[in-house]
Amino acid sequence: MNSTNPAEQPAGTSPGDTAMVLTGERTIPGLDVENYWFRRHEVVYQQLAPRCGGRDVLEAGFGEGYGADLIARAANRVIGVDYDDTAVAHVRARYPRVETLQGNLADLPLPDASVDVVVNFQVIEHLWDQAQFIAECARVLRPGGLLMVSTPNRITFSPGRDTPINPFHTRELNAAELTELLLDGGFTMESMLGVFHGPTLRAMDARHGGSIIDAQIARALADAPWPDELLADVAGVSCDDFEIVDAAERQIDDSLDLVAIAVRQ
């Protein structure tokens, strides 16, 4: 998701694995030009995976599957649901400790009160009926269970627009809109966090005309070769280069991505 490279490329896969294709809809590990987006997503998994320790977890919309596998290191059980048949086949082949199901996120193929945590990272912006999805999360969660959602912050991702720039997104949210969606769906808010560039990425922004994101997008849209310095910077980004900060400590509307943690009532 949120890829800046529209060219279709096969992901790095192991022998016998089902290849994924980089279409711009999901991000995948192991590609230098995709590394910024991959690390920006991976950092949320890394920081929130401990909340899944010893618990039964559903990842609703798992994409390439690296995040579900990361969570599976800590969780008692990870069930993954995705609508895309290719993604399901890929995850079954590459990440066998994730139990995979093909299904619609607006009609989750799980019983009531069957999991302790629902993870939905960089997916809700792709859904047509977000309220129905949140209702399904409430249905499958046990009382007191956690719903953890990350999504691009509409204010900074599609600035000044009501419709998303990314053609794969149906509706992007700001922090107030995401909070309202969760509260209306029967959840209470535990915290709203924002993903920001840390010092290393801010230095990269300065080196690349004020925004390393815009520099990547410009190259992708022009279908032009990447300058060596830009490619080296993007390929070198790590999770440590991002900061995840509570809304009480920093202006949430300035964040790149939103991370909401909500509790089923």
Side-chain angles (χ1 to χ4, degrees):
M1 286 167 281
N2 304 336
S3 169
T4 60
N5 187 352
E8 294 192 350
Q9 303 180 43
T13 55
S14 57
D17 201 356
T18 303
M20 296 285 285
V21 171
L22 182 60
T23 64
E25 184 176 7
R26 61 174 62 88
T27 188
I28 58 179
L31 289 176
D32 51 4
V33 296
E34 185 70 7
N35 185 59
Y36 168 86
W37 297 101
F38 172 69
R39 300 301 179 189
R40 182 165 147 180
H41 296 175
E42 185 186 31
V43 66
V44 180
Y45 283 102
Q46 284 190 354
Q47 292 210 19
L48 295 188
R51 301 296 302 268
C52 302
R55 295 176 146 186
D56 296 331
V57 179
L58 165 66
E59 179 160 29
F62 49 68
E64 194 275 339
Y66 67 88
D69 188 64
L70 190 157
I71 291 169
R73 300 172 196 170
N76 175 58
R77 178 189 187 196
V78 176
I79 306 164
V81 175
D82 201 284
Y83 189 73
D84 186 84
D85 289 334
T86 302
V88 171
H90 172 81
V91 172
R92 283 178 179 163
R94 190 164 189 176
Y95 304 114
R97 59 185 167 187
V98 178
E99 302 174 35
T100 54
L101 298 171
Q102 195 279 336
N104 190 331
L105 300 194
D107 186 18
L108 291 168
L110 275 76
D112 295 356
S114 56
V115 295
D116 303 303
V117 181
V118 175
V119 171
N120 182 250
F121 292 163
Q122 301 293 327
V123 172
I124 197 167
E125 65 275 6
H126 295 266
L127 304 181
W128 288 104
D129 194 341
Q130 295 173 344
Q132 173 60 24
F133 167 65
I134 297 300
E136 279 292 279
C137 292
R139 180 184 66 79
V140 303
L141 276 167
R142 295 169 182 141
L146 294 180
L147 172 58
M148 302 194 293
V149 178
S150 77
T151 189
N153 177 11
R154 176 174 59 80
I155 294 173
T156 57
F157 199 81
S158 297
R161 295 171 58 100
D162 292 326
T163 56
I165 292 173
N166 188 314
F168 293 103
H169 294 180
T170 60
R171 181 195 175 206
E172 295 170 358
L173 304 160
N174 63 28
E177 292 162 344
L178 179 56
T179 298
E180 181 180 19
L181 183 68
L182 294 171
L183 294 177
D184 288 349
F187 288 85
T188 57
M189 292 297 298
E190 179 183 301
S191 57
M192 178 68 71
L193 311 169
V195 178
F196 298 86
H197 282 178
T200 298
L201 278 164
R202 291 197 295 269
M204 289 184 193
D205 285 332
R207 280 200 299 276
H208 297 286
S211 172
I212 194 170
I213 298 171
D214 289 347
Q216 295 175 79
I217 292 172
R219 292 294 164 181
L221 293 177
D223 195 22
W226 286 47
D228 290 343
E229 184 183 30
L230 176 61
L231 184 58
D233 276 349
V234 169
V237 172
S238 74
C239 291
D240 292 340
D241 297 329
F242 295 92
E243 298 174 346
I244 299 181
V245 183
D246 193 276
E249 301 173 15
R250 193 161 175 182
Q251 175 53 255
I252 194 68
D253 288 344
D254 294 335
S255 66
L256 300 167
D257 296 319
L258 305 168
V259 183
I261 302 176
V263 181
R264 182 193 183 279
Q265 296 180 15

